Amino acid sequence: MKKKLLTLMLSVLSTLLLFSGKAQAAEKISIVSDTAYAPFEFKDSDQTYKGIDVDIIKEVAKRSGWDYKQTYPGFDAAVNAVQSGQADGLMAGTTVTDARKKVFSFSDSYYDTSIVVYTKSGTTSISSYDQLKGKTVGVKNGTAAQDWLDQHADQYGYTVKTFDTSDLMNNSLDQGAVDAAMDDKPVVQYAIKQGKHYDMSMDGESVGSFAFGVKKGSKQEYLIKDFNKALKAMKKDGTYDKIMKKWLGNSVNENSTTPSASLHLTGDANKKATPVKNSYTIVLDSSFAPFEFQNSSGGYTGIDVELIKAIAKQQGFKIKLQYPGFDAALNAVQSSQADGVIAGMTITDERKATFDFSDAYYSANTIVAVPSDSKISKYADLKGKTVGAKKGTASYDWLTQHASQYGYTVRAYDDGSTLYDLSL
């Protein structure tokens, strides 16, 4: 009898454990996100949330067998919810920082981002941080952009005003309550693409990568492994690229007819120019791939070359192209030895005093390049080192302006080929 009773008790215990295990496995995973951070997450006109973070989590959950619910309390509230154990995972365009690594365990990154200052179109364009002196700059609370602005406020003399959401920040910018704002570049580009009249006249700052996060040391650590496994598979089979292209487009697609969201075009292709000369001399850089460079047959090709040829053909005027190098090209136009310059030339306030510019045809960033085995990962690592830059460029200007701040020496080169050959 005791044996039968013991068998019965063990059977009941096994059943309870079995059901307990199923209940735990079926527990709904809580994922929290920002509330208004297009194109990563935002409420569309049909009142449903959409975006990159929404699509990625949906695909990861499908591949990992998650039963999940995604809510959108806002960035600060989302971070606090995961920290306090009220939510399991954070998917909110979250930049991985050393400070956050102390609190969160992060997945592999799913997007490399940069932050940029932007202004309302028709107001004073900000092309350098020095122009922010005495102004108020809006930023979303708790973001990498806020960290950057707070760290540099004394250096550049601006005041920081924080907002809970990008929508509130942009409304303040629209109404003139702040003079400028700072946010992740793809977010600003998407806003412009959706009809917002904003201008970005600066390259921006690379601040790191977005990743999925859970509370460090929590029982949800397994979600990171699931996320990484699914993301790797998504990148391999093209699902990841499909999602990114859906929301960010493909600016390098040669078949695309949509210009970058950061460009404001005023030209009318239906109107034709009236040439006042038989031929125009246009000067370019001599070595600035992929904008202009010599091909294997000795001729010049590249974006600038093909672009100016196509414009001349479409507008019905003749051109003569010369490739003296960037510095010499600028001097040639200033001294009237040439009619125009197209040489990957950044528009700056200083150059506006000397040149009339067309609409921008490319939005660019400047970056520091190092050998693949280098340990340099931030500007502070350049202290005591020599940094090369092409003479007369925006990169050279930026480096000379920040040399004393970071303690490096700037070396100028006449062309890109020499710069890379000798530097790397």
Side-chain angles (χ1 to χ4, degrees):
M1 180 67 180
K2 287 183 180 180
K3 186 175 181 181
K4 288 184 179 179
L5 182 60
L6 179 60
T7 302
L8 179 60
M9 289 176 66
L10 289 173
S11 177
V12 171
L13 180 60
S14 298
T15 303
L16 287 173
L17 288 172
L18 179 63
F19 277 109
S20 175
K22 285 185 177 179
Q24 186 175 3
E27 183 181 352
K28 192 176 287 289
I29 298 166
S30 172
I31 307 295
V32 282
S33 300
D34 205 343
T35 186
Y37 193 49
F40 290 90
E41 50 263 337
F42 63 99
K43 186 179 282 188
D44 207 353
S45 56
D46 61 4
Q47 299 304 299
T48 61
Y49 276 95
K50 299 176 181 178
I52 294 170
D53 288 345
V54 180
D55 284 356
I56 287 180
I57 279 295
K58 184 177 181 180
E59 186 64 28
V60 169
K62 178 182 175 182
R63 295 177 185 233
S64 304
W66 292 354
D67 180 13
Y68 80 105
K69 181 180 180 181
Q70 190 168 4
T71 56
Y72 308 86
F75 187 79
D76 248 10
V79 171
N80 291 334
V82 176
Q83 282 183 279
S84 63
Q86 296 176 30
D88 300 310
L90 176 65
M91 186 73 173
T94 309
T95 306
V96 179
T97 65
D98 289 338
R100 287 175 180 161
K101 284 181 180 178
K102 295 176 182 178
V103 182
F104 296 96
S105 292
F106 285 104
S107 68
D108 295 336
S109 64
Y110 64 89
Y111 188 80
D112 295 327
T113 190
S114 62
I115 52 177
V116 67
V117 170
Y118 59 104
T119 57
K120 182 181 177 181
S121 297
T123 61
T124 303
S125 179
I126 303 296
S127 57
S128 70
Y129 295 119
D130 293 329
Q131 293 176 277
L132 293 173
K133 187 174 182 179
K135 299 185 183 298
T136 300
V137 186
V139 70
K140 202 165 64 171
N141 195 39
T143 60
Q146 184 196 5
D147 291 343
W148 194 97
L149 286 174
D150 287 344
Q151 291 169 16
H152 296 82
D154 291 339
Q155 179 183 353
Y156 295 113
Y158 52 74
T159 301
V160 180
K161 185 173 182 179
T162 60
F163 297 87
D164 289 332
T165 69
S166 293
D167 284 353
L168 291 174
M169 177 174 68
N170 288 339
N171 287 340
S172 292
L173 181 61
D174 295 340
Q175 295 164 13
V178 295
D179 303 294
M182 190 178 219
D183 209 339
D184 288 280
K185 194 168 186 177
V187 174
V188 183
Q189 288 177 320
Y190 188 81
I192 293 171
K193 188 176 180 181
Q194 297 305 304
K196 284 286 190 178
H197 298 292
Y198 297 146
D199 290 328
M200 291 187 295
S201 301
M202 299 178 66
D203 294 332
E205 303 290 333
S206 295
V207 291
S209 304
F210 290 165
F212 171 71
V214 302
K215 185 177 180 180
K216 200 175 189 69
S218 68
K219 65 179 182 179
Q220 281 77 31
E221 292 272 5
Y222 77 94
L223 297 176
I224 297 297
K225 293 181 180 179
D226 287 355
F227 187 98
N228 288 344
K229 183 179 179 181
L231 181 64
K232 183 178 180 180
M234 289 161 62
K235 287 184 175 181
K236 186 175 181 179
D237 66 21
T239 304
Y240 169 84
D241 288 338
K242 186 177 180 181
I243 292 172
M244 302 310 285
K245 186 175 180 180
K246 172 184 175 181
W247 295 108
L248 299 178
N250 185 0
S251 61
V252 298
N253 184 354
E254 63 182 4
N255 296 318
S256 173
T257 57
T258 304
S260 168
S262 61
L263 304 181
H264 298 278
L265 307 181
T266 61
D268 185 351
N270 295 318
K271 293 183 179 180
K272 297 293 182 180
T274 303
V276 296
K277 296 175 64 175
N278 290 330
S279 179
Y280 293 91
T281 299
I282 309 297
V283 283
L284 301 88
D285 202 343
S286 58
S287 178
F288 190 51
F291 291 89
E292 48 264 334
F293 62 98
Q294 278 187 296
N295 55 31
S296 57
S297 61
Y300 279 90
T301 188
I303 295 170
D304 289 343
V305 180
E306 301 307 316
L307 182 61
I308 195 63
K309 284 181 178 180
I311 289 173
K313 180 179 179 180
Q314 196 269 345
Q315 287 291 305
F317 59 87
K318 296 179 180 179
I319 56 173
K320 179 181 179 182
L321 304 184
Q322 297 177 354
Y323 305 86
F326 188 79
D327 239 13
L330 300 191
N331 293 334
V333 176
Q334 285 180 277
S335 61
S336 300
Q337 296 176 34
D339 301 300
V341 54
I342 181 166
M345 184 177 178
T346 305
I347 301 170
T348 65
D349 287 340
E350 184 179 3
R351 287 173 181 162
K352 284 180 180 178
T354 307
F355 297 93
D356 285 328
F357 284 98
S358 68
D359 291 338
Y361 62 89
Y362 187 81
S363 180
N365 286 330
T366 55
I367 61 172
V368 174
V370 296
S372 57
D373 59 350
S374 173
K375 295 182 179 179
I376 295 173
S377 60
K378 55 185 181 295
Y379 294 124
D381 294 336
L382 295 172
K383 187 175 182 179
K385 301 188 182 298
T386 300
V387 186
K390 203 159 65 168
K391 192 186 302 180
T393 61
S395 300
Y396 181 82
D397 291 343
W398 194 94
L399 286 171
T400 52
Q401 289 170 14
H402 294 80
S404 57
Q405 178 184 352
Y406 294 113
Y408 53 74
T409 301
V410 183
R411 179 177 295 171
Y413 292 88
D414 289 328
D415 62 86
S417 296
T418 305
L419 166 66
Y420 284 102
D421 288 344
L422 295 182
S423 298
L424 303 179

